Amino acid sequence: MIGENIILGSFIDEDIRKITEWHAHEKIMRNLDALPVKPKKETEIKKWLDECPQDTFRFSLRLKEGNEIIGYAEINGILWPHRTGWVTVAIADETKWGKGYGKEAMQCLIRYAFRELNLYRLQLTVFSYNTRAKTLYESLGFRIEGCYREFLERDGKRHDMYLYGLLRKEWKE
């Protein structure tokens, strides 16, 4: 899957070290997970890549120019009888934030989910403090469908977690 500036593709062995570094980066992981940041070993990352469940489609996110890995994208938790799945895009290289790569990656992932996997509904969650992600998802047609009020605590403050959804018919419009 190719965008104007990015490619969603497979992982290579050299990616493991980079992904291990991302998992130790507090700012990145606080946007991706409600669990406390905990560095992972290279063996844990390798297992995560090698043992991808059948309901998961996981892709490296690379720049077309230079083939540099800057993140990953995935569709997971697919309920095939209902044609629903969860989507995630992570730009883990902070120097690449705000350049439109996340939007391109999400557009490729959405197109793949609806056209190739024949899904009907995509969903995701985002923490209330992640304003860049909320803006991105809304610009792609995702709608807030619910709020887990005061879901997590970070630095002594409570934060909501929003559930977003996108239906195939909305995406076609």
Side-chain angles (χ1 to χ4, degrees):
M1 292 173 287
I2 299 174
E4 186 177 326
N5 300 294
I6 61 96
I7 298 171
L8 294 182
S10 59
F11 292 92
I12 57 175
D13 288 339
E14 291 81 39
D15 296 337
I16 293 171
R17 174 163 278 139
K18 190 79 163 171
I19 296 168
T20 303
E21 290 173 18
W22 298 338
H23 278 267
H25 194 292
E26 184 178 22
K27 190 173 183 181
I28 293 165
M29 294 311 297
R30 281 181 156 207
N31 285 333
L32 293 176
D33 202 336
L35 295 173
V37 176
K38 178 183 171 192
K40 290 187 170 32
K41 297 176 187 173
E42 286 186 21
T43 54
E44 292 173 286
I45 299 301
K46 184 166 178 26
K47 184 178 179 181
W48 175 71
L49 291 174
D50 289 344
E51 297 178 6
C52 193
Q54 285 187 331
D55 69 346
T56 300
F57 295 81
R58 187 173 295 139
F59 306 97
S60 67
L61 170 51
R62 299 180 186 284
L63 296 179
K64 277 171 93 170
E65 187 176 315
N67 204 36
E68 173 190 1
I69 188 169
I70 62 169
Y72 70 90
E74 75 177 24
I75 303 166
N76 65 12
I78 296 172
L79 298 173
W80 293 109
H82 308 294
R83 297 172 44 211
T84 64
W86 293 85
V87 291
T88 302
V89 167
I91 305 291
D93 183 337
E94 217 176 331
T95 65
K96 306 300 189 252
W97 292 357
K99 299 183 187 296
Y101 302 136
K103 186 170 189 167
E104 274 189 63
M106 277 297 285
Q107 288 168 330
C108 287
L109 199 62
I110 292 167
R111 191 171 49 250
Y112 181 79
F114 288 145
R115 289 188 179 161
E116 188 66 24
L117 300 180
N118 197 31
L119 296 181
Y120 178 76
R121 173 189 164 75
L122 298 175
Q123 56 200 22
L124 57 87
T125 56
V126 63
F127 304 128
S128 57
Y129 56 77
N130 194 346
T131 53
R132 286 181 316 102
K134 290 188 305 184
T135 301
L136 167 63
Y137 303 140
E138 290 170 12
S139 76
L140 293 168
F142 282 86
R143 297 182 188 173
I144 294 179
E145 297 181 333
C147 175
Y148 300 90
R149 299 175 304 131
E150 298 183 13
F151 181 80
L152 76 157
E153 184 172 334
R154 294 261 160 90
D155 302 320
K157 289 180 65 179
R158 301 297 308 183
H159 300 277
D160 297 339
M161 181 173 74
Y162 299 112
L163 172 65
Y164 279 81
L166 177 66
L167 305 178
R168 181 186 195 127
K169 63 184 176 186
E170 295 166 342
W171 173 73
K172 282 184 171 182
E173 293 169 4

